[in-house]
């Protein structure tokens, strides 16, 4: 049972000034106030607790997810996009008006179908008007944003130039350490007496490298021209190449002991060591090759010399 409520003496004459000036005592009760009947006992606000004058810290709730970046209607690299996408020709092609066939089409007799057609035409008109107004508003907003950004950038550049060209403040000048004028850093940069000669040498190196690349390109083009005679460009040449590659009576893979059907019948490929021994007439070379001397190497070298003299492949 709740404790009894403390009552104060009341004056019968409520309109009396002496009663109104009399001090009143505060009422204290742990019972539920009558003006908040909707708050249940499980609520922390069931018992009123006075709050401090300082407000609570603002809590920003965490919002899950990431909003996608909107697609730019007017790309930055295209300066003519705002004018082109708001021109009458673009709007006429993007938001065409209803065709005469649609306007003159007979209306259905059914009231529900007729209201549906009218609703669709109304929604289409709203959509066309909204798209037109959106493009115009976005163009105006982009123009204002670009103007404001250009003005801000120009102001920052002017401020930077003024700070760079400003003289040394008096407080820094009078409190700076004593430094010789010749020891101060120069804004002209470091001295480079060999600059002109180095630039000429770089130009000569670049010209030589460019000439070498042109010669290599010309040589590759001539090699392609010389090898074009073996290209398969007709159906007859293709048939001849197929017959030559898959001829069962071909002797291109035969060795001294037996006939072969593929290249492996000729043995393993020659290693780099064997090629060096053959070129240098090493001790591990074959007897027949040692007796032949440098004829194979000489032929290869003569062919290269002939290509260098004639300027093309042989």
């Amino acid at each position: 049972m709740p404790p009894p409520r403390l009552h104060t003496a009341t004056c019968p004459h409520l309109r009396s000034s002496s009663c109104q000036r009399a001090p009143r005592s505060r009422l204290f009760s742990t019972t539920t106030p009558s003006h908040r009947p909707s708050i249940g006992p499980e609520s922390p606000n069931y018992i009123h607790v006075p709050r401090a004058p300082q407000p609570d810290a603002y809590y920003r709730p965490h919002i899950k997810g990431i909003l996608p970046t909107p697609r730019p209607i007017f790309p930055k690299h295209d300066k003519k996009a705002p004018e082109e996408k708001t021109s009458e020709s673009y709007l006429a092609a993007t938001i065409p008006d209803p065709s005469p066939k649609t306007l003159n089409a007979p209306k259905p007799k059914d009231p529900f179908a007729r209201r549906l057609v009218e609703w669709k035409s109304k929604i289409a008109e709203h959509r066309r008007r909204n798209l037109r107004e959106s493009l115009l508003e976005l163009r105006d907003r982009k123009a204002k944003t670009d103007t404001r950004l250009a003005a801000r950038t120009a102001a920052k550049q002017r401020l930077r130039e003024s700070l760079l060209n400003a003289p040394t403040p008096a407080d820094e000048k009078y409190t700076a350490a004593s430094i010789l004028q010749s020891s101060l850093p120069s804004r002209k940069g470091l001295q480079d007496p060999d600059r002109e000669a180095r630039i000429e040498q770089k130009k000569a190196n670049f010209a030589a490298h460019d000439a070498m690349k042109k010669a290599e390109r010309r040589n590759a083009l001539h090699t392609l021209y010389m090898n074009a005679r073996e290209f398969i460009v007709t159906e007859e040449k293709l048939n001849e190449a197929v017959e030559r590659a898959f001829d069962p009576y071909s002797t291109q893979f035969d060795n001294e002991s037996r006939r072969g059907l593929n290249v492996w019948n000729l043995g393993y490929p020659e290693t780099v060591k064997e090629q060096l021994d053959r070129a240098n007439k090493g001790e591990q070379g074959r007897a027949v090759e040692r007796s032949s001397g440098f004829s194979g190497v000489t032929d290869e070298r003569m062919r290269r010399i002939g290509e260098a003299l004639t300027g093309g492949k042989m």
Side-chain angles (χ1 to χ4, degrees), residues 18-141:
S18 61
C19 293
Q20 293 178 1
R21 290 193 300 267
R24 298 179 182 180
S25 61
R26 295 182 57 186
L27 300 179
F28 177 81
S29 176
T30 57
T31 58
T32 307
S34 59
H35 61 277
R36 289 184 298 172
S38 61
I39 301 178
E42 67 278 1
S43 174
N45 297 327
Y46 185 71
I47 299 177
H48 176 69
V49 178
R51 296 183 179 272
Q54 182 179 2
D56 298 337
Y58 175 72
Y59 171 71
R60 179 177 295 178
H62 176 69
I63 301 176
K64 296 183 178 180
I66 299 175
L67 291 176
T69 304
R71 183 174 63 89
I73 304 299
F74 309 116
K76 294 182 178 180
H77 61 273
D78 192 359
K79 300 299 182 181
K80 300 181 179 179
E83 300 300 332
E84 291 179 354
K85 290 193 174 182
T86 53
S87 61
E88 292 299 330
S89 59
Y90 180 84
L91 294 177
T94 308
I95 319 171
D97 295 331
S99 61
K101 181 180 179 181
T102 305
L103 295 176
N104 300 329
K107 297 183 180 181
K109 298 180 179 180
D110 187 9
F112 178 78
R114 185 167 56 255
R115 288 196 301 269
L116 180 61
V117 172
E118 294 176 355
W119 176 79
K120 286 186 176 181
S121 61
K122 182 179 179 181
I123 292 299
E125 181 63 27
H126 284 318
R127 190 181 298 114
R128 285 192 292 267
R129 186 179 69 253
N130 293 339
L131 183 55
R132 178 186 294 272
E133 294 178 356
S134 301
L135 289 176
L136 297 178
E137 289 292 336
L138 288 175
R139 182 196 60 184
D140 298 341
R141 185 192 302 178

Side-chain angles (χ1 to χ4, degrees), residues 127-281:
R127 190 181 298 114
R128 285 192 292 267
R129 186 179 69 253
N130 293 339
L131 183 55
R132 178 186 294 272
E133 294 178 356
S134 301
L135 289 176
L136 297 178
E137 289 292 336
L138 288 175
R139 182 196 60 184
D140 298 341
R141 185 192 302 178
K142 179 177 174 57
K144 295 179 181 178
T145 304
D146 294 346
T147 304
R148 185 166 56 252
L149 182 60
R152 188 186 307 169
T153 304
K156 288 184 178 180
Q157 291 179 355
R158 289 193 299 268
L159 177 60
R160 178 179 177 275
E161 293 295 333
S162 62
L163 294 177
L164 287 177
N165 301 326
T168 306
D171 55 346
E172 294 184 7
K173 183 178 181 181
Y174 295 145
T175 58
S178 300
I179 303 176
L180 297 177
Q181 190 69 21
S182 59
S183 301
L184 293 176
S186 177
R187 294 186 178 182
K188 297 181 180 180
L190 301 177
Q191 299 295 332
D192 190 4
D194 301 333
R195 181 174 180 273
E196 299 297 335
R198 191 174 67 256
I199 291 177
E200 295 297 332
Q201 181 65 29
K202 292 291 184 181
K203 289 182 179 179
N205 294 343
F206 178 77
H209 182 67
D210 193 19
M212 182 180 64
K213 289 177 62 176
K214 289 182 179 179
E216 292 179 356
R217 194 179 297 110
R218 191 183 304 110
N219 188 18
L221 182 60
H222 187 271
T223 303
L224 178 64
Y225 175 74
M226 295 299 295
N227 294 333
R229 69 185 70 178
E230 300 178 0
F231 290 172
I232 300 175
V233 294
T234 59
E235 187 176 356
E236 291 76 9
K237 290 186 178 181
L238 178 61
N239 295 333
E240 293 178 2
V242 171
E243 292 294 337
R244 185 169 57 255
F246 297 96
D247 186 11
Y249 304 102
S250 177
T251 59
Q252 57 179 342
F253 302 127
D254 297 347
N255 54 17
E256 294 83 357
S257 59
R258 60 177 182 177
R259 294 192 57 189
L261 300 178
N262 51 48
V263 71
W264 293 105
N265 191 52
L266 302 178
Y268 292 100
E270 191 175 14
T271 62
V272 177
K273 185 176 182 302
E274 293 175 355
Q275 294 178 6
L276 292 176
D277 292 340
R278 179 167 53 83
N280 299 329
K281 199 177 180 179

